Amino acid sequence: MATRSYTSRRELDEHTFHPAVALLVPVAFIILQALLPKPFPKLAILDLPLIATIFFAVSRRNPIAGTFTGMVIGLLQDVLTNQYIGINGITKSIIGYTAASIGFKVDVDNLSTRSLMCFAFSLAQSGLLYLIQNHLLGHLGVPVLWLHELIRAVVNTLVAIPIFFLLDRTRSDE
């Protein structure tokens, strides 16, 4: 007779990381994001902290942890860049919450889902940054180059996929 398990999907799929990985990977991505565009201006199109936020939020599948991860990564990014403190904190908190919520309901371990999420979240972050700058900060008339934002989303997606596969090797299932 077959037995049924009453283990929830969350209990089956929630992943944890060694504390060193959970701390050092986002910090390294933030530092690279701050330093790489100076000698290589074309690398400013990358958003490595966004990739870290999406990966850790989706892997943990916990909206509270995703929000907190996004907030910490975003605020650290704000400290090291020329942004007002809190702009990236707000956007990455929203992205972290949304990514964790989607990760709880959808199989996010396959390539097509990950690609679609990275692309959509990159565009969503661009839209959120635009809204924050125009409506909260009052920088009216700041132009948005949507073609550039589409290219940014594609580039971030292409960079995120191999990073996700590398970071998948660091997670432990409990």
Side-chain angles (χ1 to χ4, degrees):
M1 181 166 153
T3 60
R4 292 187 190 194
S5 172
Y6 292 102
T7 306
S8 71
R9 179 165 196 261
R10 179 179 184 176
E11 292 170 346
L12 289 175
D13 292 336
E14 198 169 286
H15 304 293
T16 59
F17 299 91
H18 189 275
V21 171
L23 179 67
L24 293 178
V25 169
V27 169
F29 281 11
I30 292 166
I31 291 170
L32 286 172
Q33 181 71 32
L35 296 179
L36 281 178
K38 291 177 182 169
F40 307 105
K42 292 195 183 234
L43 291 180
I45 200 165
L46 289 178
D47 194 349
L48 295 173
L50 175 66
I51 293 170
T53 300
I54 294 169
F55 177 78
F56 286 110
V58 164
S59 294
R60 290 185 181 133
R61 291 175 170 86
N62 182 340
I64 295 170
T67 304
F68 184 74
T69 300
M71 177 199 62
V72 169
I73 290 173
L75 288 175
L76 287 173
Q77 184 180 3
D78 287 335
V79 168
L80 294 176
T81 60
N82 296 342
Q83 295 283 348
Y84 291 106
I85 302 294
I87 290 179
N88 284 309
I90 293 169
T91 59
K92 292 206 175 29
S93 295
I94 294 169
I95 299 294
Y97 176 82
T98 309
S101 298
I102 290 172
F104 183 67
K105 297 181 189 279
V106 177
D107 177 25
V108 291
D109 288 335
N110 78 37
L111 181 63
S112 59
T113 306
R114 284 182 170 185
S115 300
L116 183 63
M117 284 181 53
C118 288
F119 183 79
F121 284 135
S122 185
L123 287 178
Q125 178 179 314
S126 297
L128 287 169
L129 287 171
Y130 174 76
L131 289 173
I132 290 170
Q133 288 176 348
N134 279 322
H135 296 288
L136 290 179
L137 296 178
H139 295 171
L140 299 175
V142 175
V144 178
L145 306 172
W146 288 109
L147 180 60
H148 179 267
E149 298 305 324
L150 282 172
I151 293 169
R152 175 189 294 256
V154 169
V155 168
N156 282 320
T157 302
L158 293 174
V159 170
I161 298 306
I163 289 173
F164 282 2
F165 284 126
L166 288 173
L167 290 175
D168 277 342
R169 297 177 184 260
T170 65
R171 68 183 183 190
S172 61
D173 300 329
E174 290 183 2

